[in-house]
Amino acid sequence: MFEEKAWRRVDDYIGAALISKEEAQEETLAANARAGLPAIDVSPPQGKLLHLLACAIGARRVLEVGTLGGYSTTWLARAVGEGGKVVTFEVDARHAEVARANIAREGMSARVDLRVGPALEMLPRLESERAQPFDLAFIDADKPNNAAYFDYALKLSRPGALIIVDNVVREGAVADPSKTDGGALGARALFDAVAAEGRVEATAVQTVGAKGWDGFLIARVK
């Protein structure tokens, strides 16, 4: 579609204008491609947005569900600063291996606690550790479980924390009752759960760009 070409061109323009070579993690994206990882990382402008949101609230502890190759992980690790921590979950051991190498190359290993396995099995263990609550959570994993991931993020977050969920619009499928795939159903379940949850205030924003037509749900814990 013409629109997608234009969206990608504008994303490239934004990246060239506002994201430095040091920030861009071009080698991480190249390493992910060489390893055959799916090209489903957030875009560079979206990664910078996550970074800026984390910086804006002074986030020192971040929870991430869905590491993939560590691209968004590194953006968030830069934001938490020295002594900060990103706890990130990745179900695929091979993806995690690629992510560890990328994170190490970016000098962020000391700030990242990468845990390998199904997040819904490991999040209860994290809850039992009784560590300090998280300042920000970013959820970008298997979409049918988004509502469950959101529930755990809420349990583990402090008042004032942000919970951000990616891929909630799905080219409009979220608002199209005829779409009944797992991603669409998961997105609707997430919206229903958040709408019924009195402990947060939330909105969602549609996005277009190199990743097509999608969007983020952003919730603030009261």
Side-chain angles (χ1 to χ4, degrees):
M1 294 174 61
F2 168 76
E3 290 85 352
E4 292 182 1
K5 292 180 181 178
W7 298 341
R8 181 176 294 275
R9 184 168 64 248
V10 173
D11 257 11
D12 290 344
Y13 177 85
I14 292 168
L18 301 177
I19 299 174
S20 70
K21 284 285 187 181
E22 291 74 21
E23 293 176 311
Q25 297 184 65
E26 292 177 357
E27 181 52 36
T28 289
L29 295 176
N32 290 351
R34 288 194 299 271
L37 271 61
I40 55 174
D41 310 272
V42 296
S43 69
Q46 291 170 345
K48 185 71 175 279
L49 174 63
L50 294 173
H51 173 86
L52 291 174
L53 288 171
C55 289
I57 63 168
R60 299 284 287 162
R61 283 181 53 79
V62 170
L63 171 66
E64 180 182 51
V65 182
T67 316
L68 193 61
Y71 183 74
S72 56
T73 316
T74 296
W75 277 110
L76 292 165
R78 289 170 176 161
V80 299
E82 290 188 21
K85 188 68 71 175
V86 177
V87 179
T88 182
F89 292 96
E90 174 53 47
V91 68
D92 189 301
R94 183 166 169 273
H95 294 177
E97 181 181 358
V98 175
R100 288 188 197 281
N102 288 332
I103 292 164
R105 187 183 57 257
E106 295 292 337
M108 294 292 123
S109 295
R111 303 182 190 183
V112 176
D113 177 0
L114 199 169
R115 306 186 183 194
V116 182
L120 288 180
E121 294 179 12
M122 302 177 74
L123 281 163
R125 299 177 210 167
L126 182 61
E127 187 178 11
S128 70
E129 292 174 13
R130 300 187 182 279
Q132 291 181 349
F134 291 99
D135 305 303
L136 183 146
F138 177 52
I139 298 169
D140 190 10
D142 55 307
K143 309 312 172 185
N145 285 318
N146 271 347
Y149 296 143
F150 185 91
D151 184 59
Y152 271 109
L154 180 56
K155 291 177 184 177
L156 295 165
S157 294
R158 65 165 174 82
L162 295 181
I163 303 173
I164 304 168
V165 188
D166 196 10
N167 306 127
V168 301
V169 172
R170 312 195 65 76
E171 297 186 337
V174 67
D176 183 349
S178 71
K179 303 295 185 183
T180 57
D181 60 279
L185 294 175
R188 285 183 216 128
L190 171 68
F191 273 85
D192 290 344
V194 174
E197 178 52 71
R199 290 173 291 173
V200 302
E201 52 186 352
T203 191
V205 292
Q206 299 184 74
T207 60
V208 297
K211 300 301 178 179
W213 175 24
D214 218 318
F216 291 105
L217 183 143
I218 304 173
R220 178 183 177 273
V221 182
K222 296 180 180 177

